[in-house]
Amino acid sequence: MAWKQEQQHNNSPIRQYCTAIATVTLHDQKHHTLTKQKPNGGKEEPYPELVTVPYFLPPPNRATTVAIGQPAYLHCRVALLGEKAKVSWIRKRDLHVLTSGLVVFASDQRFQVIHPERSENWTLQIKYTQARDAGIYECQVNTVPKIFMSFVLNVVESRAVIKGPEYVKAGSTINLTCVISHDNMPGLVHWYHNQDILQYQGQSQIDTVRDGHSTVSHLSIRNASPRHSGNYTC
C-alpha cells in the first residue's frame, strides 16, 4: 500500500490517494497465492493461501451409539463441494456404495441421505437399526485424490422394565417408573398410553435421569380417572 500526492493547477489543494497493489500468482487448479507489494519496491509478502477444493468440516461426533430399532444419523460436513464433486457413503465391511449425491444405491430402504439445499451437511440416516448395521461407514468425496472420513456406528440392545401399581383409585396419582438398561442412550424417553404418545407437560409429568449404567424415567398422572386405564409403554 502506498500514498501518492498530486498538486493540481490553479493553486488547487493537494489531493492524496491511497493505492493498494495485489499480485495473484497462479500455481495450479487447486489453490492460488495472493501477495501484497510493499511501497518503495519492498519485498512481496504472501497472503495466506486460499482453499478452493472440498474439505471436511469437524462433525458433531464420529462415533454414534443407538439402541436396536432406533434411527441412526451419521453427520458428514463438506465445505466448498462445488458443482462437480460428489459425496458418497460407503459401508466399509463390504465396500458397498450406499449413496452418491442424493441417489441411494442400497436396496434396503432403511438407508437415506439427508442434504438440505445449499447445506454443507450430508447425513446418512439408517432407520430401524439392527445389530448387523454396526460397523464403520466412510464419507467420501470424489476429488483427485479422493478424500474420506470414517464414522463408527455402535448398535446395542437395550431392555426396559416398568415398575408401578396395577390398580389405582380414581382421583389419585398414577406413578410409573421405566428403567432402561443402556449406557449413554441418546434422545428422549417417550411414554405411550395405549397408542397415544404422552406429553412431557400437562396432566402427565415425565422426568428422565441417568442413574449409573441405566436411564430412569418417571411418569406421574394426577387426578387419574377411568379414561387413564390401559397399557403404558416406554
Side-chain angles (χ1 to χ4, degrees):
M1 181 177 293
W3 285 95
K4 180 180 179 182
Q5 291 186 345
E6 180 178 301
Q7 175 72 54
Q8 292 191 345
H9 299 292
N10 301 326
N11 299 320
S12 57
I14 293 177
R15 294 185 179 180
Q16 292 184 330
Y17 300 89
C18 178
T19 60
I21 302 173
T23 303
V24 176
T25 304
L26 212 55
H27 287 300
D28 51 38
Q29 295 181 350
K30 292 185 178 181
H31 63 271
H32 59 264
T33 302
L34 189 64
T35 61
K36 55 184 178 181
Q37 180 178 341
K38 287 186 174 181
N40 302 323
K43 185 179 179 181
E44 292 183 349
E45 294 180 352
Y47 285 102
E49 290 187 350
L50 302 179
V51 178
T52 59
V53 294
Y55 64 94
F56 290 112
L57 294 171
N61 54 68
R62 294 177 62 181
T64 301
T65 301
V66 298
I68 291 177
Q70 288 186 328
Y73 298 92
L74 306 181
H75 301 282
C76 182
R77 303 174 63 218
V78 183
L80 299 181
L81 187 62
E83 297 180 357
K84 295 183 179 180
K86 287 187 177 181
V87 176
S88 301
W89 278 99
I90 314 294
R91 186 169 55 202
K92 190 69 174 175
R93 63 178 168 84
D94 56 3
L95 299 180
H96 182 48
V97 179
L98 301 172
T99 68
S100 179
L102 295 175
V103 179
V104 179
F105 292 103
S107 58
D108 190 336
Q109 296 184 356
R110 297 180 304 120
F111 291 88
Q112 297 291 331
V113 62
I114 302 174
H115 174 63
E117 188 176 1
R118 298 181 181 178
S119 168
E120 296 167 331
N121 298 324
W122 295 84
T123 301
L124 178 66
Q125 179 191 46
I126 309 175
K127 300 178 181 178
Y128 312 111
T129 52
Q130 303 172 11
R132 61 185 176 87
D133 294 324
I136 299 175
Y137 294 80
E138 274 190 0
C139 177
Q140 294 185 359
V141 182
N142 63 338
T143 52
V144 180
K146 72 178 180 180
I147 59 175
F148 61 90
M149 180 176 286
S150 298
F151 295 79
V152 177
L153 175 63
N154 300 306
V155 182
V156 298
E157 182 179 0
S158 62
R159 298 177 180 177
V161 177
I162 296 180
K163 302 177 181 180
E166 295 184 8
Y167 302 95
V168 296
K169 295 181 179 180
S172 61
T173 300
I174 299 175
N175 288 302
L176 299 175
T177 300
C178 177
V179 180
I180 304 170
S181 57
H182 175 54
D183 288 338
N184 301 319
M185 189 186 68
L188 298 173
V189 176
H190 296 288
W191 282 86
Y192 294 84
H193 175 222
N194 295 327
Q195 301 299 321
D196 299 324
I197 189 169
L198 298 176
Q199 302 299 320
Y200 263 66
Q201 296 180 345
Q203 189 176 6
S204 59
Q205 287 288 123
I206 301 175
D207 296 305
T208 302
V209 296
R210 301 287 187 266
D211 183 14
H213 297 288
S214 300
T215 298
V216 180
S217 182
H218 300 281
L219 170 66
S220 297
I221 302 177
R222 301 184 300 271
N223 300 320
S225 63
R227 67 185 181 87
H228 293 113
S229 298
N231 295 322
Y232 287 84
T233 307
C234 68

